[in-house]
DNA sequence: CATGTTCTCGGTATGCATTA
DNA sequence: TAATGCATACCGAGAACATG
């Protein structure tokens, strides 16, 4: 990765001292929270090896997350719980998590670099970059911190709600996960607004899923 | 044999163009 | 005008295969 002219370098060069990179994880799974992280690095500081969390192995992510935490000026975490996801919808929940991560920072950043789309209602200027986690260092760092944080949380939730395999699939849709939902029903951390979870509640198999979204169940 | 890479699969929301 | 299709955006696991 590492884009040639670092965006952060340009911002630091014009005198900004607190530039935050923000990214969220956990949009896709059927269970568990959406987690966002915001990272503010000291001007001029880059962590070697930081890249899009998706292209890193779990071991590399753990190591890098530790180093990012050690070297960052401040790190903020934003959490949106499953019941909020059901209430807001997953798209708004992602934005909400991003906003909370920025608000959780120990300093108010002068500029925010965000993955994907802009965060409505943010107090400071921002730029959004689709696929930003693969070429903006601060966003990549945030993606690593968020991913490691969520994986740890899902392992904890696996102990709280054993049998679903959360520690393995992190709440994502796998055959084993579908089978567990059908067998045990949804747990308190399942997103009941998501189609496969609704289907399990209604007692139908995933081959009988309705073609159109079912409404009026919340 | 352990690790890394690629491909296919799974989830939902938005916005715009097209169609009935 | 309202409904629909499609490309865009985001998230990731798991299997198969390649490599050292």
């Amino acid at each position: 990765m590492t884009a040639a002219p670092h965006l952060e370098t340009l911002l630091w060069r014009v005198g900004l001292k607190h530039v935050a990179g923000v990214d969220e994880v956990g949009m896709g799974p059927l269970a568990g929270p959406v987690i966002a992280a915001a990272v503010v690095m000291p001007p001029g500081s880059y962590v070697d090896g930081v890249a899009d969390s998706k292209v890193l192995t779990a071991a590399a992510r753990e190591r890098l997350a530790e180093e990012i935490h050690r070297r960052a000026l401040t790190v903020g975490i934003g959490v949106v719980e499953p019941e909020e996801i059901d209430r807001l919808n997953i798209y708004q929940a992602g934005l909400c998590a991003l906003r909370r991560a920025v608000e959780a920072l120990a300093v108010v950043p002068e500029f925010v670099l965000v993955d994907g789309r802009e965060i409505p209602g943010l107090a400071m200027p921002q730029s959004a970059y689709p696929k930003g986690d693969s070429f903006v260092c601060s966003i990549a760092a945030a993606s690593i911190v968020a991913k490691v944080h969520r994986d740890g949380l899902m392992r904890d939730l696996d102990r709280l709600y054993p049998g679903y395999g959360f520690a393995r699939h992190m709440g994502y849709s796998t055959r084993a996960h579908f089978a567990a939902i059908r067998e045990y029903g949804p747990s308190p951390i399942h997103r009941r607004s998501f189609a496969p979870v609704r289907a399990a509640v209604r007692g139908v198999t995933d081959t009988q899923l309705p073609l159109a979204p079912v409404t009026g169940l919340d």
Side-chain angles (χ1 to χ4, degrees):
Chain A
M1 55 122 250
T2 37
H6 291 307
L7 270 169
E8 293 87 345
T9 298
L10 302 176
L11 294 166
W12 290 331
R13 206 173 282 165
V14 298
L16 302 189
K17 292 188 168 41
H18 301 123
V19 177
V22 199
D23 190 20
E24 94 279 65
V25 299
M27 301 283 281
L30 309 177
V34 174
I35 302 288
V39 172
V40 178
M41 297 300 291
S45 172
Y46 291 103
V47 175
D48 254 8
V50 162
D52 173 5
S53 70
K54 285 189 278 293
V55 307
L56 296 170
T57 63
R61 282 197 302 263
E62 300 275 349
R63 184 183 61 76
L64 287 165
E66 196 273 328
E67 188 175 350
I68 292 162
H69 271 108
R70 198 172 60 235
R71 290 177 49 183
L73 290 178
T74 168
V75 173
I77 300 288
V79 180
V80 175
E81 301 291 350
E83 57 266 29
E84 290 183 280
I85 297 170
D86 291 338
R87 190 149 36 81
L88 296 173
N89 84 39
I90 184 61
Y91 185 83
Q92 295 299 329
L95 293 173
C96 184
L98 291 167
R99 195 180 306 113
R100 285 177 185 175
V102 173
E103 287 166 356
L105 290 167
V107 298
V108 177
E110 297 143 319
F111 203 94
V112 171
L113 302 169
V114 57
D115 185 59
R117 67 275 199 219
E118 291 199 356
I119 310 168
L122 213 58
M124 64 289 294
Q126 61 177 311
S127 286
Y129 301 93
K131 302 186 197 303
D133 54 357
S134 61
F135 65 92
V136 182
C137 288
S138 303
I139 296 177
S143 79
I144 292 168
V145 170
K147 171 68 175 159
V148 168
H149 187 89
R150 186 174 188 279
D151 284 357
L153 221 53
M154 290 310 290
R155 280 191 283 269
D156 291 345
L157 289 167
D158 180 62
R159 283 192 288 274
L160 206 55
Y161 305 105
Y164 292 98
F166 292 144
R168 182 173 297 107
H169 52 58
M170 305 303 168
Y172 281 84
S173 51
T174 67
R175 285 188 176 284
H177 191 185
F178 281 130
I181 295 174
R182 278 198 295 274
E183 184 167 353
Y184 307 120
S187 76
I189 64 161
H190 276 97
R191 304 173 180 177
R192 288 163 185 266
S193 58
F194 280 26
V197 180
R198 278 204 312 263
V201 173
R202 291 150 50 93
V204 300
T205 70
D206 49 18
T207 59
Q208 297 171 310
L209 275 177
L211 296 175
V214 178
T215 56
L217 290 183
D218 354 15

